[in-house]
Amino acid sequence: MAARWEAIDGPAGMAEQGLDSNEGLLRQHGLPPPAEGPLPEGAPLHALPRPARDAFDALLDARTTCRNYDPQASIPLEVFSGIMARTFGRRGSGRPAPGFEVIKRTSPSGGALHPVECFLIVQRVQGLAPGLYRYRAAEHALLAVAPQVAAPVAGDVGTRALPAGEAATAWSSESLRAFAQIAVAGQGFFADAAVLCVLAPRFHRNFWKYRNHAKAYRVCILDAGHLSQTLQLCATQAGLGPFVTSAINEVDLERAFGMTHYEQSPLLVCGFGPRAGTLVESEFDPNRRVWPR
Ligand SMILES: Cc1cc2nc3c(=O)[nH]c(=O)nc-3n(C[C@H](O)[C@H](O)[C@H](O)COP(=O)(O)O)c2cc1C
């Protein structure tokens, strides 16, 4: 609960401290610890055979965090549906006891419980009204979510609860974009993604098995991380740019999607969409798998 943010602008906060660039970090803190732990002196190294490359290597190497989305381009419904099915869909199921169901996904999950649900900010998918949704694995379907906060406007850093007695209304694409930017704590380059996925575990599903258990919360975090990597690979395979961030405004997301924070709360936001034609924000593509195209 202490790690949850509300109305935080991450890049602005880092810039205020002069920590928004490697130059600033190096100036203030010197070099980071090396990329790998040091070798013990004289220890022999066992060289491994050089692996043969195949198509899977090409896919793995093409995954690069996208910070340059085309803010106009949309995704065909079939492509979106395929990424959802491969990442969050039910590939099979088991029934250990009557009323107790576990689902098989393409990512592992502690206790096979898969407590993580995917909520969506859909900005540009052909044939799908822009808005907030919840993905249902059982039916491979979306449930529209009526936003539980007032429609944000560009420049807002946080959300406001709906005024008493006011019913939720559908948002304009500008409000949705403003909300996406709040979701990713002011990182506008991620807010331009066609689709943003909010991964939020239902803690009580996991805590049913891992009771008063030192690893229970850790398992939820790891589950979300696995799903994010699977989503990134599926999006890359579809020719789209993926991202993940843990710099998110959890409290604003809970408020908008109507989550009760001790029952369900976001751990990360990942997403995907068509890349822009030009590189403006930096991406880490040292082997030129993505840029220049
Ligand atoms: C848990 C996690 C949180 C991240 N948060 C951010 C973030 O807040 N902003 C950002 O620009 N990138 C974020 N990233 C992306 C990393 O910066 C990126 O993975 C890293 O630079 C390596 O580049 P690559 O993903 O292209 O290999 C995050 C990645 C992970 C795994």
Side-chain angles (χ1 to χ4, degrees):
M1 282 174 70
R4 287 152 70 239
W5 278 357
E6 178 178 5
I8 294 287
D9 184 319
M14 296 292 273
E16 242 167 61
Q17 301 172 61
L19 298 177
D20 54 336
S21 66
N22 280 333
E23 293 72 36
L25 277 160
L26 288 167
R27 203 176 322 109
Q28 293 190 44
H29 301 295
L31 287 170
E36 292 189 72
L39 283 174
E41 211 167 306
L45 282 178
H46 302 277
L48 296 172
R50 199 157 285 281
R53 282 184 65 87
D54 64 19
F56 191 52
D57 290 277
L59 174 64
L60 292 169
D61 288 343
R63 187 213 54 81
T64 292
T65 298
C66 178
R67 296 190 187 83
N68 296 276
Y69 287 105
D70 181 334
Q72 258 84 51
S74 58
I75 304 176
L77 186 60
E78 297 70 32
V79 173
F80 167 77
S81 175
I83 293 171
M84 295 304 291
R86 284 179 165 173
T87 308
F88 303 107
R90 173 190 288 234
R91 316 293 285 195
S93 61
R95 200 172 284 274
F100 175 20
E101 196 186 23
V102 286
I103 65 165
K104 176 86 178 169
R105 276 178 170 163
T106 53
S107 298
S109 171
L113 292 168
H114 279 297
V116 177
E117 288 191 331
C118 175
F119 292 74
L120 294 133
I121 306 172
V122 173
Q123 301 202 92
R124 291 175 308 281
V125 174
Q126 290 157 25
L128 203 52
L132 306 188
Y133 292 92
R134 181 176 139 214
Y135 177 72
R136 283 275 312 177
E139 298 87 3
H140 181 55
L142 296 183
L143 181 73
V145 175
Q148 300 300 303
V149 293
V153 297
D156 283 356
V157 288
T159 55
R160 281 169 298 113
L162 274 175
E166 204 168 289
T169 52
W171 287 350
S172 66
S173 55
E174 289 76 24
S175 284
L176 205 55
R177 171 62 177 73
F179 178 65
Q181 181 143 341
I182 293 168
V184 292
Q187 301 181 90
F189 42 83
F190 288 155
D192 281 333
V195 174
L196 292 91
C197 301
V198 179
L199 301 201
R202 290 162 57 242
F203 299 119
H204 44 285
R205 166 97 174 157
N206 185 283
F207 295 176
W208 169 82
K209 176 167 181 176
Y210 301 113
R211 285 173 181 267
N212 300 316
H213 196 300
K215 310 299 174 185
Y217 182 60
R218 184 182 297 193
V219 165
C220 290
I221 299 174
L222 291 168
D223 277 15
H226 285 108
L227 289 164
S228 159
Q229 172 70 355
T230 302
L231 178 118
Q232 295 205 27
L233 290 176
C234 293
T236 302
Q237 198 266 347
L240 302 171
F243 80 89
V244 61
T245 179
S246 54
I248 62 174
N249 279 312
E250 291 88 347
V251 175
D252 296 285
L253 284 162
E254 290 158 0
R255 198 180 281 142
F257 282 101
M259 299 175 196
T260 304
H261 66 273
Y262 51 81
E263 291 176 350
Q264 184 162 33
S265 180
L267 289 175
L268 61 82
V269 174
C270 50
F272 51 92
R275 276 196 157 82
T278 48
L279 183 81
V280 176
E281 294 287 342
S282 77
E283 294 189 13
F284 188 38
D285 181 29
N287 301 317
R288 295 272 181 272
R289 304 288 163 158
V290 181
W291 302 98
R293 288 178 294 151

